[in-house]
Amino acid sequence: LIPGINVRDGHLAAIARLAATTPGVKEINVMAYHTLGAGKYAALEMEDKMIGTDAMAGDEKKRLISRISELLSENGVTDIPVL
């Protein structure tokens, strides 16, 4: 998830709906955007199109995990952990 790009409630709801309606989903792993690859772009002389985008803070990731869990529950799903 990328702050300012796809952390809106509509995106989170879509993740929950997809998991709720896809057979065999065992868990949802929330991958927070980070900037660890920025140096690689520079070393390879490539344009980093995400420059200026901040990494997601740990507390924000926890909030998003909680929200996706709530949305799953609203869809009647209580057996898919969100990590």
Side-chain angles (χ1 to χ4, degrees):
L1 294 171
I2 305 169
I5 305 283
N6 64 354
V7 294
R8 294 178 193 87
D9 209 56
H11 289 108
L12 304 178
I15 292 169
R17 278 192 311 275
L18 180 63
T21 59
T22 304
V25 173
K26 297 187 184 336
E27 65 186 25
I28 297 173
N29 289 291
V30 174
M31 305 295 290
Y33 175 73
H34 58 76
T35 57
L36 297 175
K40 293 178 186 177
Y41 280 96
L44 295 170
E45 298 178 1
M46 294 175 64
E47 178 186 6
D48 182 355
K49 294 181 181 178
M50 298 301 288
I51 199 159
T53 303
D54 293 328
M56 182 180 292
D59 58 335
E60 176 69 358
K61 181 178 176 182
K62 289 177 186 175
R63 185 189 72 76
L64 295 173
I65 287 171
S66 177
R67 181 62 183 139
I68 294 169
S69 294
E70 289 172 9
L71 291 163
L72 281 171
S73 293
E74 290 173 13
N75 282 284
V77 178
T78 58
D79 60 343
I80 298 176
V82 183
L83 311 170

